[in-house]
Amino acid sequence: MATGKEIVVSGIRSTGFLHLGNYFGAIRNYIRMQEDYNCYFFVADWHSLTTHPDPKDLRGNVFRLLAENIASGLDPEKVALYAQSDVPEIAELYLLLNMLAYKGELEKVPTFKDKVRLQPQNVNAGLLTYPVLMSADILVHRAIKVPVGKDQEQHLEMARNFAQRFNTRYGEELFPEPIAFNFGDNLVRIPSLDGTGKMSKSENEMATLYLNDTDELIRKKVMKAKTDSGPAEPGAPMPETISNLFLLMQSVSAPDAVDNFRLAYENQSIRYGDMKKQLAEDMVAFIAPIREKAQALQQDVPYLRRILKDGAEKARASAAQTLQAARALIGINYYQ
Ligand code: TRP
């Protein structure tokens, strides 16, 4: 891969369908980074095993995710796009880092405590050491920037701790300390259609727009979005349900369309039915090409396999160098 550029790593969860919140929160960040950074983006299939997914579903999930990311604009020529399980060096580094991770600190991680509460019947060691595997994902490429949301901050802090612990113990700055990164000024919050919370947090499928929703379903979901009887007086503050519609519109509609409806709100002539119709059509125009491209890509299994293979090759070239250095520092270098 190109040298001289800063290294970026991010893992894409392999469960669940991609939605508009993922697109504007993560994928669009990736697409912008692929131009200026040396990017390693991977499907986190090993991570998904903590919950024992049905083996029949795994391949389909991985291929769908690849197809949806490529259809959204991720270019496998520009980035290394791979499956975590195709890079055994990650597992090896995970083992090495586990020797530097303490049971006590792992038990204190909020995401682990949540899981213990939610699935007490399956508190396995993979769940406990999830942050160690995530650290290995990142440190294996000696990345310095990691595009993730706020919910991953704690995991990144652990990655920094493990990096530092390794460097201190073995007396060399092998691992830089990675930081969370995104084009913050352009981060758009994508609200859910039921007027509460973010689309990514939504448990209500009708309030979430997926990248594989049909045109008809997109229209139906948008038309069902909550509104009210309109502003009671000029300059009335906008309730959240309405400001959410504007946020959604800003993300996919032409600026003049948004301005017109904003003006209509201000002078109390707004008709929410018209606004939702416009939003629905603009949403369809936005999502349909991604959906169609992703569907076509999913049919082309040989192509997806080639992408995975090429990606794994690029990732392993970088990972092998790190492991060679790590082994030597630890003293596992019997043939040199
Ligand atoms: N834990 C991340 C999430 O839940 C996914 C992930 C796994 C990841 N490994 C990573 C993200 C490495 C960034 C870097 O979204």
Side-chain angles (χ1 to χ4, degrees):
M1 295 204 68
T3 50
K5 291 181 179 176
E6 288 184 323
I7 298 170
V8 167
V9 168
S10 195
I12 310 164
R13 250 178 289 183
S14 62
T15 45
F17 287 75
L18 288 181
H19 52 67
L20 211 64
N22 298 129
Y23 179 88
F24 285 103
I27 303 177
R28 216 180 42 158
N29 250 324
Y30 296 169
I31 294 165
R32 296 176 63 182
M33 283 182 190
Q34 69 187 358
E35 307 297 335
D36 302 323
Y37 296 90
N38 205 346
C39 294
Y40 295 89
F41 296 138
F42 66 95
V43 181
D45 55 352
W46 276 335
H47 281 283
S48 79
L49 300 182
T50 54
T51 51
H52 309 149
D54 191 329
K56 287 199 300 294
D57 297 337
L58 216 58
R59 187 165 75 175
N61 281 342
V62 171
F63 283 4
R64 190 190 68 238
L65 223 75
L66 282 178
E68 285 183 333
N69 274 278
I70 297 169
S72 300
L74 208 63
D75 184 349
E77 299 282 323
K78 292 184 182 154
V79 306
L81 189 57
Y82 56 99
Q84 186 181 33
S85 59
D86 274 335
V87 184
E89 288 81 2
I90 296 173
E92 185 178 349
L93 185 58
Y94 165 64
L95 181 149
L96 299 176
L97 294 177
N98 265 325
M99 311 306 167
L100 303 173
Y102 299 108
K103 173 174 167 280
E105 68 185 337
L106 296 172
E107 280 171 343
K108 270 194 294 198
V109 176
T111 44
F112 175 71
K113 291 204 288 192
D114 287 349
K115 288 280 156 60
V116 172
R117 207 160 32 79
L118 294 170
Q119 46 177 74
Q121 76 292 356
N122 182 26
V123 185
N124 58 59
L127 207 54
L128 181 69
T129 57
Y130 184 107
V132 189
L133 182 55
M134 179 163 163
S135 301
D137 295 329
I138 298 165
L139 299 179
V140 84
H141 301 299
R142 287 177 265 185
I144 55 170
K145 287 186 174 157
V146 185
V148 283
K150 274 241 168 314
D151 62 326
Q152 298 296 312
E153 209 19 271
Q154 179 91 26
H155 289 156
L156 268 188
E157 194 180 326
M158 302 194 72
R160 288 192 286 275
N161 287 339
F162 299 145
Q164 206 177 45
R165 243 174 248 168
F166 186 100
N167 295 344
T168 309
R169 173 161 299 270
Y170 298 109
E172 200 173 294
E173 291 296 303
L174 177 61
F175 297 117
E177 292 183 26
I179 55 164
F181 178 75
N182 50 54
F183 293 95
D185 46 332
N186 285 303
L187 262 199
V188 213
R189 185 177 72 93
I190 298 297
S192 122
L193 288 168
D194 58 10
T196 54
K198 289 197 303 180
M199 203 169 267
S200 59
K201 288 277 157 60
S202 175
E203 277 146 29
N204 176 359
E205 278 191 12
M206 281 308 284
T208 300
L209 293 164
Y210 294 94
L211 297 183
N212 75 344
D213 280 348
T214 61
D215 292 353
E216 205 182 331
L217 191 55
I218 296 168
R219 290 192 183 101
K220 193 165 154 200
K221 287 179 177 181
V222 173
M223 295 315 286
K224 277 180 86 120
K226 269 211 180 123
T227 53
D228 58 17
S229 53
E233 56 192 32
M238 219 181 255
E240 204 183 347
T241 45
I242 306 304
S243 62
N244 280 351
L245 280 186
F246 274 100
L247 274 176
L248 286 168
M249 203 170 212
Q250 263 166 15
S251 60
V252 296
S253 301
D256 349 338
V258 186
D259 287 346
N260 284 341
F261 284 105
R262 212 176 272 289
L263 212 64
Y265 181 88
E266 276 158 26
N267 64 32
Q268 292 177 282
S269 64
I270 191 156
R271 290 160 55 150
Y272 291 132
D274 292 348
M275 182 177 177
K276 288 199 281 189
K277 260 189 211 141
Q278 173 84 47
L279 179 60
E281 289 321 305
D282 293 340
M283 234 5 128
V284 166
F286 183 83
I287 291 177
I290 299 179
R291 181 191 62 226
E292 281 159 19
K293 185 150 187 230
Q295 275 167 2
L297 286 170
Q298 276 186 89
Q299 304 300 313
D300 194 351
V301 172
Y303 169 78
L304 293 176
R305 287 205 175 116
R306 199 161 62 240
I307 297 299
L308 277 182
K309 260 214 158 110
D310 288 353
E313 210 169 288
K314 291 188 226 171
R316 291 197 69 185
S318 146
Q321 288 181 20
T322 305
L323 261 299
Q324 198 179 13
R327 283 186 216 112
L329 285 170
I330 291 173
I332 307 177
N333 55 344
Y334 311 136
Y335 305 101
Q336 279 159 17

